[in-house]
Amino acid sequence: MKEDYLKMIFELGGVSGKVSNKQLSLSLDIAAASVTEMINKLVEERLVSHTPYAGISLTKSGRKAAEELVRKHRLWECFLFDKLDYTLATVHQEAEQLEHSSSDQMIDKLDAYLGHPEHCPHGGAIPDPAGNYEVGSRTTLAQVNDGAKIRLSRFVDNHDLLEYLESLNFVVGQEFTVNSHAPFEGPISLTAAEAGNDIDVSFKAANNIFIDEL
């Protein structure tokens, strides 16, 4: 669905950043050819712009549509996670269904009921009714150098990724030291600041984990 593409471009690139076909293919787990086909459709609808060899970004109308979708989706994730005890890995699919059947009035009431949360359970910013939100980090774990001290700030909203991170006991806010990047897109070795244990994170996952350098 085109809505999934708009949300993922927003997640990966924000309001002005450019993302590649490869990033979308990895994060959505969709074949590169299918990504190219959908991006061409979104360009025709003037929801995204695509500069060859530079990347894909949201247009003004695409950004507005993405922000509205993300607001609905992430508020439902907060409700499912905080009130119904869904796990981080299971909120996405339920929220995906709920966002498409929710009016703006319902979402505003849900927002008030939840106390106007600013972030969803996996760290994504939630736009307020006026479209304001905190612009988070755009630096991924895969991009930082060996020896860097980092804090996990956000995970891309992907079921398989969140399930994988749950198996590693990763939560937003944890701090680590980056030990090494294995060659040929191998795993990235981390040491947990609090527990002191070493953890290997796959290269694919590391491209979908956003961090703040400390």
Side-chain angles (χ1 to χ4, degrees):
M1 295 178 65
K2 69 181 182 181
E3 289 87 355
D4 294 329
Y5 282 81
L6 293 175
K7 286 188 294 185
M8 190 57 70
I9 294 168
F10 179 85
E11 282 222 65
L12 296 173
V15 296
S16 58
K18 294 182 181 296
V19 301
S20 67
N21 285 46
K22 182 178 180 180
Q23 283 178 291
L24 289 173
S25 178
L26 285 171
S27 297
L28 291 169
D29 198 22
I30 293 174
S34 297
V35 170
T36 299
E37 183 180 351
M38 178 57 76
I39 292 303
N40 288 338
K41 290 180 181 178
L42 294 175
V43 169
E44 290 177 3
E45 294 180 30
R46 299 183 178 181
L47 294 171
V48 306
S49 61
H50 183 203
T51 305
Y53 308 109
I56 303 152
S57 59
L58 296 168
T59 62
K60 184 177 180 180
S61 57
R63 182 169 69 245
K64 185 175 186 298
E67 288 170 348
E68 290 174 355
L69 288 165
V70 164
R71 172 173 164 77
K72 290 181 177 182
H73 187 88
R74 291 179 177 173
L75 283 170
W76 278 121
E77 286 188 328
C78 287
F79 176 77
L80 294 166
F81 186 79
D82 295 337
K83 305 300 182 182
L84 299 185
D85 296 325
Y86 275 68
T87 66
L88 194 63
T90 57
V91 292
H92 173 74
Q93 290 171 313
E94 294 284 6
E96 191 83 3
Q97 300 297 318
L98 291 163
E99 74 181 66
H100 295 296
S101 58
S102 304
S103 66
D104 291 341
Q105 182 181 21
M106 176 182 284
I107 290 301
D108 288 343
K109 288 184 177 296
L110 179 64
D111 186 21
Y113 172 72
L114 294 170
H116 307 290
E118 295 182 356
H119 296 89
C120 70
H122 53 85
I126 301 175
D128 68 15
N132 301 309
Y133 53 92
E134 176 186 301
V135 178
S137 170
R138 297 296 170 194
T139 303
T140 68
L141 176 58
Q143 294 173 314
V144 295
N145 296 323
D146 294 350
K149 296 186 183 302
I150 61 155
R151 179 186 298 114
L152 306 182
S153 65
R154 179 167 60 88
F155 310 140
V156 167
D157 197 357
N158 173 283
H159 171 75
D160 291 340
L161 171 71
L162 296 175
E163 198 168 60
Y164 172 69
L165 297 179
E166 269 194 353
S167 74
L168 297 179
N169 295 316
F170 272 21
V171 295
V172 170
Q174 279 180 302
E175 297 180 5
F176 295 90
T177 298
V178 179
N179 297 322
S180 63
H181 294 63
F184 302 107
E185 298 187 350
I188 296 170
S189 173
L190 308 175
T191 298
E194 188 171 336
N197 57 306
D198 292 338
I199 302 171
D200 286 339
V201 181
S202 75
F203 181 78
K204 181 178 180 180
N207 276 279
N208 291 287
I209 299 171
F210 290 86
I211 59 91
D212 293 312
E213 291 198 60
L214 304 177

